[in-house]
Amino acid sequence: MPARLVDRHPEVPADQLVAQMVPPPMFDEVSFSSYIPDPNEPSQAAAVREAEDFAGEVARITEAAKKKTLFGRKKQVSGAGLYLDGGFGVGKTHLLASVFHSAPAPKSFGTFGEVTNLVGALGFAATVERLSGNSVLCIDEFELDDPGDTMLVSRLLTELSAAGVSIAATSNTLPGQLGEGRFAAQDFLREIKKLGSIFEAVRVDGPDYRHRDLPPAPEPSATDALRERAAATPDATLDEFGALLAHLATLHPSKYRELIAGVSAVFLENVAPVTDQAVALRVVVLADRLYDAGTPVTVSGAKLDQIFAADMLEGGYRKKYLRAISRLLALSRFEVPTS
């Protein structure tokens, strides 16, 4: 009988939240040289050059900060800033992870949600203290749809930059929306106007590489076949979709990474479109953690591109939902391990 995610109740100490702020495993070995720009999208090659230049600046700032003034004090140097703005699946996270790998330690990498979770777990002052010695803080998927969280992180970045920490961030824009990338960058810079003068916004265009030349969402499995496959897959989990959604509500999103730790594949029965916003946002976080871990997902019920109700894709959180769909579809095509 396969294990169930709903039977897991992980606890994550605050120190672990800091220690686990590194790129997802699928980005462990990436570099600027391993990014393959689309020849039809010149902005991608330009973005690689900009990111490499930024990484060099991070190293120079770190060295400058080690020098002392005539009075024996460390020289005060402000951090640099890079903002990679583009659509889904154009390699922004690859470039962000490459910045992380090239920067001197200590350094941190996390999603926008993980950064806000860290502040929630440690408190604002302790978070500043923990991160102020970094050479760089890399923030993937910077969000603009929650004013409170955005202002919180803006204040955090202001203080970290003043302490000499460089900041690199990425953000998604909606495909097919002319000008939206520029508006997103402007909104971001406006929200962190104290940092605006040091941030360079770099556009990364192109189609979602996760779905280039790929067929539409795969058909869901029959429930009996799903159960048989889950039972034959070592270290897999099998959950009823509604029960898993209820379980996610009992866990802080900072625990979702630990929830799926060691799971080789996730099987979900009776997937149905999510109609509640709070529930949908939890699904987004889970999808991000599954994608980070490269965990295959197989379902029965509705197709994964129908996991969010149609009217929700028209609301303020639609870019999050579209990102989650993109990632879940990619995971549905991953090879499920066999015994």
Side-chain angles (χ1 to χ4, degrees), residues 100-313:
F100 176 89
H101 291 314
S102 65
K107 50 193 174 181
S108 300
F109 182 110
T111 63
F112 181 86
E114 287 173 318
V115 173
T116 58
N117 289 338
L118 184 67
V119 176
L122 300 182
F124 186 85
T127 301
V128 172
E129 182 179 356
R130 292 287 188 98
L131 300 181
S132 60
N134 278 13
S135 66
V136 69
L137 171 62
C138 298
I139 304 177
D140 204 16
E141 311 295 357
F142 199 100
E143 305 287 2
L144 292 169
D145 44 30
D146 187 319
D149 281 349
T150 300
M151 293 308 296
L152 173 69
V153 175
S154 297
R155 181 184 163 208
L156 175 67
L157 301 191
T158 300
E159 297 205 16
L160 291 178
S161 178
V165 181
S166 294
I167 312 293
T170 72
S171 181
N172 277 336
T173 57
L174 293 173
Q177 299 267 333
L178 270 179
E180 182 158 357
R182 298 182 188 88
F183 298 148
Q186 290 170 6
D187 288 344
F188 175 75
L189 296 178
R190 205 161 42 234
E191 288 296 334
I192 54 170
K193 55 188 177 183
K194 293 180 182 176
L195 288 174
S197 62
I198 66 163
F199 263 85
E200 180 178 1
V202 175
R203 179 74 179 163
V204 191
D205 292 307
D208 189 336
Y209 75 88
R210 291 186 283 263
H211 309 303
R212 289 176 194 162
D213 303 319
L214 291 176
E219 291 295 327
S221 300
T223 298
D224 288 345
L226 184 85
R227 292 173 179 174
E228 290 178 9
R229 195 174 180 194
T233 304
D235 301 318
T237 58
L238 172 65
D239 289 86
E240 199 280 323
F241 188 59
L244 177 59
L245 296 183
H247 185 56
L248 293 180
T250 69
L251 300 173
H252 191 276
S254 64
K255 299 179 180 180
Y256 289 7
R257 184 192 298 268
E258 194 65 23
L259 177 70
I260 63 167
V263 174
S264 66
V266 166
F267 293 85
L268 299 175
E269 292 184 15
N270 305 321
V271 168
V274 176
T275 58
D276 180 88
Q277 182 170 281
V279 177
L281 291 174
R282 295 185 197 110
V283 172
V284 169
V285 178
L286 180 63
D288 286 344
R289 299 293 78 78
L290 289 168
Y291 186 73
D292 289 348
T295 306
V297 175
T298 308
V299 304
S300 69
K303 291 183 179 182
L304 283 169
D305 60 359
Q306 300 170 349
I307 198 167
F308 303 112
D311 61 335
M312 299 193 72
L313 297 179

